[in-house]
Amino acid sequence: MKALMENRKTGRVHCPMCTHTVAADLELRGKRLRVAPGQKCPRCRASLDVAVIVQVPEAA
């Protein structure tokens, strides 16, 4: 059986409440990239569980 490796990156997400782009931790599970659960927006303290990922820093 394969062991699941969780990779975490820091990226930019769009907060649905205050409509600003803020930094958040992202989890890579298989081929899917999602916002790590339980995070809050640093500006308005809203949950980022449903935030849209805008930018993922990667080397070219």
Side-chain angles (χ1 to χ4, degrees):
M1 216 173 148
K2 281 185 170 180
L4 294 175
M5 291 178 47
E6 286 192 36
N7 294 333
R8 284 207 170 193
K9 296 181 178 183
T10 302
R12 308 283 293 171
V13 298
H14 181 77
C15 176
M17 292 299 288
C18 67
T19 66
H20 281 88
T21 304
V22 295
D25 289 334
L26 307 174
E27 288 183 348
L28 180 64
R29 293 185 183 174
K31 293 184 179 180
R32 296 189 184 252
L33 191 63
R34 296 184 181 228
V35 178
Q39 294 187 70
K40 298 209 177 261
C41 176
R43 295 179 54 92
C44 67
R45 307 303 297 166
S47 176
L48 291 177
D49 289 342
V50 296
V52 176
I53 299 171
V54 177
Q55 180 183 22
V56 179
E58 289 187 3

